Amino acid sequence: MVSPRFVLLEAARSHARVIVPGLTRRSFLAGAASTTLALLLANLRTAGKGTSAPAGARALPEYRRWEDLYRQRWIWDRRVRCTHLVNCWYQRNCAWDVFVKDGVVLREEQAGTYPQVSPEVPDFNPRGCQKGACYSALLYAPDRLRYPLRRVGPRGSGRWQRVTWDAALSEIADAVLDALRDGACESVVLDPGGSTASATWQIGLRRLIAMLGGVELDTNTELDDGQGGAAVTLGNPVASRSADDYFRSDLILIWGANPVYTQIPNAHFLFEARYRGATLVTIAPDYSPSAIHSDLFVPVRPGTDAALALGVAHLLIERGQFDAEFVRAQTDLPLLVREDNGRFLRESDLQASGREDVFFAWDERAGEMAPAPREHLAWGSVQPALTGRYRVHTRAGPVEVRPVFARLREQLQQHYTPAAVARICDLSESTIHRLADLIGGAPAISGVTGSCFAKFYHGDLILRAQLLLFLLGGHIGRPGDGFDVLPFLYVDGADRAGGTQASEIARKLRLLPDYLRKRLAGETQERFLADALRDYWWQAGRVSSVLYWRQHAGLAERCDADWGRRLPRPVEAYVRESFGHAWHKEPPRVAPRVLLLGGSNLLRRLRSSDLLLKNVWPRLRLIAAMELRMSSTVRYCDILLPAASSYEKDDLPNWFTLLSPYLHITQAAVPPLGEAKPEWEICVALARAIEKRAAERGMRAFRDRAGEWKRLDDFATRVAFDGKFPEGSQTELASEVIAKSTIVDASNFEELRESGFCRVARVGTHPLNIGTATDMPPDAPAINHRWRRSRPGPWPTLTRRVQFYIDHPLYIELGEELPRHKDPPPIGGNHPVILTSGHTRWSIHAGWRHVSLLLRLQRGEAVVFVSREDASARGIEDGDRVRVWNDVGEFLVQARVSPAVRPGTAILYHAWEDHQFPGGRGHRNLLPSPLNPVELAGDYYHLRPVPAALQPGQSDRETRVEIERTAPR
C-alpha cells in the first residue's frame, strides 16, 4: 500500500489538483481519508495522479491513528532561516524558520531569536504576522505562476499557452528591438511596483531599463507614500526611530495609523509602554482596532486633522506651554516676513549684491535685525524675537516686517480657537482641551503615523500642522520623543554592487567640482546629495508615474476637473508652468509601446486605472510581467515570466525600516516551483535574448534618448556588470550587496545564513537615509532625529531650519504659506458619504487577498463598512449587496454594518482585486484623484522633486459616493 503522504508529496512536486470523492466529516474522522485532508490543511496543497510509487522511492510508514499523523508534522528534513521579501511597509521583514520535508515547505514559524538590546526596554521577539505564517500558501496556491505563458485569447480573457523561456524572452526582445530600431527607446517603459522588494530584482530591472534608454516610473508618490508635508517642513521626509524607543514615551499619539492592523510585529511596544505608564491616544474617524486599546479616542471628522492640530497648537501657545528656546534655534518661526508681499526678508532686499538665501530675525537685545546663521543653528548673543512688528529699510523703501511666529499666532487666534475647531472637526471643546492638556504636560511624546495622510488631497497641510504641534514642544531628538513619518532605510549596497574601484573614483571626481562649488555657496551636504541623486535618476530616465499616466492615459479628464476646488487657474496652467520652469520633469511625449511590469499590479494600484485599459492598453504592442501569481494586471498581460518566491532564492530587501533595525536575508529553502527563476536571472536572461535577437536581426547599436549610439553586441555582458554576475550568480550578487552596504558590518551573505539577520550599525551615507539623522547604538534604542540635538546643524531646507513658512509663489497663490486647514473638496461629486480606506489586516497589499486561509477569517469577499445610521436610512442590512456610485463610476460590494464606523463615512480597505468584485469592477475605478497644484512647486532649494518624494501624488481618502441596496443577503 502506498502512503497517502507519498501521494501528496508527489502532487506537490507536480502541482496537480486533487479531488477526493466521497470525503465527509464522518469518513474523515473514521478512516484513511483523514490522513489526506489533514495533510492538505498542513500546507501540502495538492494531489497525485497515480497510486503507485516510482521505482527507487523509499518506503514510507503507514498512518493508522491520527496521533501518528500529528507526530509527523513535527518531523522534517531541515530548517532554513528566511524572511519575506514583500512590501509590508512599517513592519517590514521578520525572521522565520521554514521547515522542509521531501522538498516541500511544511510550514513556517517565527524565529524569536532577536538579541536583547538593553534590559531597560522590551526586545523585538517574536516578529511576524498571520501573513508570514501562511506564506507557504502562496507557494502552492492555484494561481501561482509556474511556467512562462503567452496570451492566446484577447487581453483579460484568461486564455494562456505554456511556452519555453527562450520563446517568451525572444518575443519580449523583439518588441523592445522594434522600438529601438524606430528610434523610440523611451517607448519602452518599466513599472517597478511596490512588490519589487528585493535588492537583486531592483538592480536587474533598473540596469535593464537604463541601458535600453527607456523610462522607469517613480511610483512611490503615485501610491502617495511620499509624505510631502514632512518633506516640505523638514527638507527630507525620512524620520524614524527603532520601535523599542516607544517604550520610553510618556504620551503616544496614534494619529493617521492603525498599528494593530498594519504594524503587527511592532504594536506590542505601544502596549508595553502603556503598561509602563504611558498614555495612549488614538485620533481617527472610526473606532479602529487600535482605538480599542487606547486611553483616549478622538473621533475627528475625516480630512480635518490639520484643524485639530492647529487648535491644540493655539492652546499651547496661549498657555505658554511650548519650548521657546527650541523654536528660536531650530525653526524658521523667528524669521522676518515682509507685510507687503508675504515673502521672507532677504539680504537681496537690502543690497544689490545680497543673497536670496540669507534671512533675518529681530534681535531683542540689540534692537536691530540680525542675519540668521547658515552653517549652524546657534544664534550666539542674538535673542530672536518671536513677536512684534518692525520697520526696516529696503532698497525699495521702508517695509514693515513680522516674525513668522507672530503671523502664525494671529492665524491661530482668528481661525483655530477651541470653539472653531470643534465645529470643523465635529468634536466637543472639552475633548480638544483634554488633548491639549495631555500634550502640554507630557515630557516625551511619540507620534505614530503611517502613509494615511499623504493619501488625502490636503494631506500635506495635515502633516505640516502635525509637525508644528510636535516641534513647538521640541519633541524631537530625545528618548521617547519624535514624530515618525517615512521610516525608510535604503540598502545602499544595491547602488554600489558590481562597481569597480576605478569607477567609484571616477564618479567621485565628477561630483567633486560641483560639490565644492555648492558647499562654498552654503549648500548643505544633505541637500547636495539629494540633488545629485535626483539628477542621476532623471538622466537614467526616471519620471513621475502620476505625471506620466496623466499625459499618456488621459487621467487629466478626471483629475483636472473642478471638483469644488475653486482654484485660481486651471490645473493644466499649473502643470505647464511647472514644466516651463523645469520645476518638474516633463514625461517623454513618445507614447508607450512596450510595458515591462516588475512586481507591479498597476491596474489594481492606480486610481482611475480603467482609463489605462481604455486609453493605453489598445496602443501597447506588448505587456510583459515578472510575477509570482496571477493578479488584476497580470490577467491583461501578453507574456508572463514566473518569478521565484522568498523561499526559493538567496536574496535580501532593497530597503526596510528603522522601526525594526535589522537587515534580514532570505534563502533558497526549496527549488523554484516549476520553471520559475530568481528575478536577477530573469533580467540577465532577457538581456541575453535582446543581444541574441539583435545579432540575428543585424542590429549592432541603437540611439539612446540623448542621440548617442549604444552597442547591442555586448548588451548582456554589460547588464551583468561586465560578466561579473551572469545567470546563476544570484547568491554572489546578494552577497556583494551586503558587502558594499554601509549600514551594516556584515561582510557577506554566508555570514548571515544561520541567524538570518544582523542589526543595523549606522544609517550610512545614502541621501535617502541621511534624513533619519540618528545613531544606531548597539545597546540602546535608536532615537528619532537624534543628531538634531546631539550635533545640531542646518536642516536641508531653504532657511536651514525646520520650515513652517513657505513663500514659494504657488504656496502664496493658494494661500498655503503656513499650515492651515482646508475643507476636503467634494471629489467625485456632491454626494453624502465620504468613502475612505486603510491598509488591510488580512493581506499585504493584494498579495494575500486570494489566500483561502485568510479569506476564512473575513467574509471571503470585498466588503464596505457602513455605519448603522447610514445603513438604516438606506434600508441596508448586514450582508446585503450594495451599489456604491458617484459621478465617475460604480461598483458592487457586500455591506458590513458596523457601530465602529462614523456616520457619513464608509470604509473599504484596500487591496481587493477587481475580479473579486461582482462584475469584475473594483473601487479604484471611481476615484478621480485630482492633482493638487501645490505639489508642482520647485526651484525653491528643498522643494525639488527627488526619487520617491516631492512629486505629485494620488489621493483616495475623501472621495464622495452614494450607497444603495441592490440585493438582500
Side-chain angles (χ1 to χ4, degrees), residues 569-773:
R569 292 183 280 157
V571 174
E572 179 64 20
Y574 291 102
V575 174
R576 289 295 113 202
E577 179 184 21
S578 185
F579 291 161
H581 292 309
W583 293 347
H584 284 258
K585 181 180 180 181
E586 184 173 6
R589 293 183 179 275
V590 58
R593 292 169 55 175
V594 178
L595 181 59
L596 303 178
L597 303 172
S600 168
N601 198 349
L602 177 61
L603 294 180
R604 187 209 62 80
R605 187 190 76 220
L606 188 79
R607 286 76 163 178
S608 288
S609 59
D610 57 309
L611 294 178
L612 285 174
L613 287 175
K614 174 185 175 184
N615 299 327
V616 178
W617 250 243
R619 294 183 288 142
L620 290 169
R621 174 184 166 182
L622 185 86
I623 311 162
M626 298 181 198
E627 256 295 356
L628 188 70
R629 64 179 186 89
M630 284 287 181
S631 69
S632 295
T633 306
V634 168
R635 294 174 68 204
Y636 286 89
C637 290
D638 303 315
I639 297 290
L640 306 184
L641 305 177
S645 75
S646 294
Y647 294 167
E648 299 168 340
K649 60 184 178 182
D650 289 351
D651 213 332
L652 70 157
N654 51 352
W655 60 266
F656 56 105
T657 86
L658 193 61
L659 288 167
S660 170
Y662 298 95
L663 173 65
H664 294 74
I665 65 164
T666 195
Q667 303 178 68
V670 293
L673 203 59
E675 294 180 7
K677 296 176 181 288
E679 296 87 354
W680 169 252
E681 294 194 18
I682 297 176
C683 291
V684 175
L686 178 54
R688 194 165 303 284
I690 292 172
E691 180 181 313
K692 178 182 177 183
R693 288 296 297 140
E696 293 170 350
R697 294 171 53 165
M699 289 180 62
R700 300 187 60 184
F702 71 96
R703 287 188 184 271
D704 66 8
R705 70 175 67 88
E708 298 180 2
W709 285 100
K710 301 294 184 182
R711 292 172 56 183
L712 286 169
D713 57 351
D714 63 347
F715 184 72
T717 301
R718 288 188 290 115
V719 167
F721 296 100
D722 294 332
K724 185 177 180 180
F725 298 110
E727 292 174 73
S729 60
Q730 171 86 12
T731 302
E732 290 76 11
L733 179 58
S735 188
E736 176 143 336
V737 171
I738 293 173
K740 294 290 182 68
S741 293
T742 66
I743 60 175
V744 295
D745 290 330
S747 57
N748 56 57
F749 198 89
E750 299 302 319
E751 187 178 327
L752 302 181
R753 283 197 184 274
E754 182 61 30
S755 66
F757 59 84
C758 63
R759 186 171 170 86
V760 174
R762 63 197 66 84
V763 299
T765 58
H766 195 277
L768 294 178
N769 295 350
I770 291 178
T772 301

Side-chain angles (χ1 to χ4, degrees), residues 306-319 322 333 402 404-421 424 464-466 468-469 472 804 818-821:
L308 178 59
L310 295 172
V312 174
H314 165 69
L315 290 174
L316 297 181
I317 289 174
E318 296 309 309
R319 297 172 181 176
F322 67 96
L333 295 180
R402 281 195 295 164
V404 173
F405 186 90
R407 296 174 69 97
L408 170 68
R409 186 175 184 182
E410 180 181 77
Q411 176 177 294
L412 297 179
Q413 290 171 337
Q414 290 179 353
H415 303 292
Y416 301 104
T417 63
V421 171
I424 294 171
R464 290 171 66 193
Q466 287 179 303
L468 172 66
L469 186 57
L472 280 174
F804 295 110
L818 282 169
R820 58 170 293 188
H821 163 73

Side-chain angles (χ1 to χ4, degrees), residues 500-545:
T500 63
Q501 185 178 13
S503 65
E504 282 292 301
I505 293 173
R507 183 183 64 83
K508 291 177 180 178
L509 287 175
R510 287 196 301 272
L511 290 176
L512 186 59
D514 195 34
Y515 175 71
L516 291 176
R517 176 178 61 79
K518 290 188 175 183
R519 286 295 288 158
L520 289 173
E523 184 94 77
T524 64
Q525 179 185 17
E526 199 169 336
R527 185 74 259 148
F528 170 78
L529 291 174
D531 286 349
L533 181 65
R534 177 203 61 186
D535 294 343
Y536 169 76
W537 282 121
W538 278 20
Q539 293 167 9
R542 193 169 185 177
V543 300
S544 161
S545 174

Side-chain angles (χ1 to χ4, degrees), residues 477-478 772-775 783-791:
R478 298 178 301 204
T772 301
T774 194
D775 300 307
I783 297 171
N784 183 298
H785 272 136
R786 180 71 182 101
W787 296 347
R788 302 307 180 185
R789 287 192 181 269
S790 64
R791 41 175 163 166

Side-chain angles (χ1 to χ4, degrees), residues 70-131:
Y70 183 79
R71 291 187 185 102
Q72 287 300 313
R73 292 190 62 187
W74 307 101
I75 299 176
W76 52 84
D77 296 333
R78 60 197 181 103
R79 173 190 61 81
V80 185
R81 183 63 55 83
C82 297
T83 193
H84 306 120
L85 298 180
V86 294
N87 182 13
C88 50
W89 208 189
Y90 284 70
Q91 61 186 8
R92 184 160 178 177
N93 296 131
C94 306
W96 289 82
D97 285 330
V98 176
F99 299 93
V100 179
K101 178 69 172 177
D102 292 340
V104 176
V105 175
L106 293 177
R107 71 176 193 282
E108 46 272 279
E109 185 177 281
Q110 292 161 293
T113 56
Y114 295 94
Q116 179 76 43
V117 174
S118 166
E120 304 299 321
V121 295
D123 60 38
F124 281 83
N125 293 304
R127 290 188 58 79
C129 68
Q130 77 277 51
K131 281 84 67 178

Side-chain angles (χ1 to χ4, degrees), residues 426-443:
D426 195 16
L427 296 170
S428 67
E429 291 187 46
S430 61
T431 299
I432 299 167
H433 279 280
R434 184 179 177 191
L435 184 59
D437 291 341
L438 289 172
I439 294 174

Side-chain angles (χ1 to χ4, degrees), residues 230-236 330-333 335-337 342-349 355-360 371-377 379 404 518 521-524 526-528 531 788 793-809 811-812 817 937-944 950:
V232 167
T233 305
L234 307 176
N236 189 321
Q330 298 259 4
T331 77
D332 68 337
L333 295 180
L335 300 185
L336 298 175
V337 176
R343 300 268 290 168
F344 278 118
L345 182 68
R346 290 166 162 81
E347 188 181 55
S348 58
D349 294 329
R355 295 177 59 97
E356 284 287 318
D357 60 351
V358 172
F359 306 97
F360 296 88
R374 298 171 64 252
E375 299 296 328
H376 53 81
L377 297 177
W379 285 93
V404 173
K518 290 188 175 183
E523 184 94 77
T524 64
E526 199 169 336
R527 185 74 259 148
F528 170 78
D531 286 349
R788 302 307 180 185
W795 291 74
T797 64
L798 174 66
T799 61
R800 276 47 168 198
R801 285 159 169 73
V802 176
Q803 191 163 337
F804 295 110
Y805 193 85
I806 308 295
D807 66 345
H808 188 283
Y811 281 73
I812 292 176
E817 308 96 305
D939 193 26
Y940 186 84
Y941 196 73
H942 68 290
L943 297 191
R944 305 170 185 172
L950 288 170

